[in-house]
């Protein structure tokens, strides 16, 4: 089992069929779900799954949390998408990675898988995911 950071292949096709709308005020709802080191998430992941998701306890609930989207912009010649940082407070769990997925879509289609590079543990504290700047070469989602 492994988590590999990647934009999901299914997402690449779905953006050309208008499945996903990242516009901040009128777009879809995107969630971030956390997973354990037993999870298999990668470019072939097509949708949200409960398999090896962090247990619904210790401040975490199934399907994670909704992300606050920032309307996509152009950075140099790259279209970029950003989200506001997200936190779980009073949390006690361990996570190895996450999946961003479209919670508005009929099948909870995946956007990208992210490996944290190792287990990250929080005990009675705040677990925060900080997103990189929405610039070419840095944004969590970029289309060049």
């Amino acid at each position: 089992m492994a988590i590999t950071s990647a934009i999901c292949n299914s997402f690449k096709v779905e953006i050309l069929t208008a499945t996903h709308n990242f516009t901040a005020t009128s777009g879809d709802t995107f969630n971030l779900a956390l997973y354990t080191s037993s999870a298999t998430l990668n470019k072939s992941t097509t949708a949200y799954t409960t398999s090896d998701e962090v247990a619904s306890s210790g401040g975490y609930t199934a399907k994670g949390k909704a992300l606050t989207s920032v309307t996509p912009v152009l950075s140099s010649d790259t279209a970029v998408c950003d989200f506001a940082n997200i936190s779980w407070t009073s949390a006690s769990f361990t996570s190895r990675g996450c999946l961003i997925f479209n919670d508005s879509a009929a099948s909870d289609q995946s956007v990208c898988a992210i490996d944290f590079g190792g287990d990250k543990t929080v005990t009675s504290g705040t677990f925060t995911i900080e997103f990189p700047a929405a610039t070419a070469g840095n944004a969590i989602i970029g289309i060049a």
Side-chain angles (χ1 to χ4, degrees), residues 3-143:
I3 299 174
T4 304
S5 295
I7 297 290
C8 298
N9 285 337
S10 57
F11 171 75
K12 296 172 189 176
V13 172
E14 292 162 357
I15 59 173
L16 297 176
T17 60
T19 300
H20 306 280
N21 180 350
F22 288 89
T23 306
T25 57
S26 60
D28 296 331
T29 299
F30 293 88
N31 277 27
L32 185 144
L34 298 173
Y35 290 85
T36 69
S37 59
S38 298
T40 300
L41 302 171
N42 53 47
K43 67 182 181 181
S44 298
T45 303
T46 59
Y48 162 78
T49 177
T50 59
S51 181
D52 299 310
E53 185 176 9
V54 168
S56 289
S57 64
Y60 182 82
T61 56
K63 285 190 132 180
K65 284 189 167 188
L67 292 165
T68 301
S69 186
V70 176
T71 299
V73 296
L74 198 60
S75 174
S76 298
D77 291 329
T78 302
V80 295
C81 182
D82 192 20
F83 299 101
N85 296 343
I86 189 168
S87 296
W88 285 262
T89 56
S90 302
S92 293
F93 54 76
T94 298
S95 178
R96 173 59 193 237
C98 65
L99 180 71
I100 296 175
F101 66 96
N102 188 341
D103 195 39
S104 297
S107 299
D108 291 334
Q109 285 98 328
S110 60
V111 173
C112 64
I114 302 168
D115 176 29
F116 296 155
D119 282 347
K120 304 299 179 190
T121 300
V122 61
T123 305
S124 299
T126 301
F127 187 90
T128 301
I129 300 202
E130 296 180 2
F131 287 95
T135 59
N138 293 313
I140 199 71
I141 300 169
I143 301 171

